[in-house]
Structure formats: C-alpha cells, structure tokens
Amino acid sequence: MSVEILDGATIVNFVEDEEAFDISVSDLFGQLDEDKDGLLSYGEMLNELKRLRVFETHFGIDVKTEEEEAARVYDSLFVLFDHDLNGRVDLREFKEETKKMMIAMANGIGFVPLQMVLEPDSLLLKAVQRESMLPLAA
C-alpha cells in the first residue's frame, strides 16, 4: 500500500482519458478472470468487491460484519455489475459499472486534495500515477 494525495479531478481526468482507463480496467478484468473465459463469476469478483472496503469505518479499520449481511451487500454489488442478470459479468458491463463507481467516488471526494492509503494496482493508484506523469501546466 502507498499513501497518495488525490482529489476528484484526479479520478475524473483518469476516467475521461479513455485509453488509459480502458487499458487499466481491461487489465484488472483480465486479472480477475481466473478461468480466462472472458466472463467474471461472482466468485471471481468477490475479492475485488471486498477491496471496495464498504464496511470500513475510519482510517482503514474494518467493522466486524455478520456473514449474512456481508453476503447480501456483495450480492447487491455484483448485481450492479451484472446488467443482463445472467450471473456473469462481461468486460463491457465491468467497464460501465467501474466508470460509474469511479465518478461517484470523485463526486464524493470533491476537489479538496485528500491523503489516502491506496492498494497496489488499484484503479485509484493508477489515476494518481497517470496524473503524476502529465506535464505541469505553465
């Protein structure tokens, strides 16, 4: 994990850079697709859904959650990705929902810089790395 500074603009600019965003999301999809069938099952997505840390309360401290409640939340998140409700998530569905989630995070963060702990290879870290490689405005 690394500590980085970002704001909503970091995320929005990353999502709007279609090439960088598509490559990053496609790479993530490929990592999650364990059986390489071009579709993500619930099991393949579960660890990534857990990385969203929806039960985190403060500074990376997770809340103890009942297994049934956690299962309901992760089931609900999976359904958000599975637009056609066939029990599998294809790359198009994954990209569309990931984009919505990233924009929602950007809106929640706003435009005041925040210091955040980011997981290696997370899309947020890729957004920060992309921004750090851009030339400075004169």
Side-chain angles (χ1 to χ4, degrees), residues 69-137:
E69 180 185 359
R72 279 193 305 275
V73 170
Y74 295 130
D75 288 347
S76 297
L77 287 171
F78 183 78
V79 169
L80 289 175
F81 281 87
D82 185 14
H83 298 171
D84 58 12
L85 302 175
N86 67 352
R88 308 289 236 160
V89 175
D90 63 32
L91 180 58
R92 180 192 53 76
E93 292 170 318
F94 188 74
K95 281 183 184 177
E96 287 176 12
E97 202 59 37
T98 300
K99 186 174 195 173
K100 288 178 191 175
M101 290 183 139
M102 295 288 287
I103 294 298
M105 281 189 269
N107 290 335
I109 291 171
F111 295 97
V112 175
L114 295 177
Q115 191 172 26
M116 293 180 70
V117 176
L118 302 178
E119 300 213 16
D121 295 325
S122 71
L123 292 177
L124 289 178
L125 183 58
K126 290 180 188 288
V128 170
Q129 291 168 338
R130 177 200 163 276
E131 183 176 68
S132 70
M133 297 181 75
L134 295 175
L136 296 175

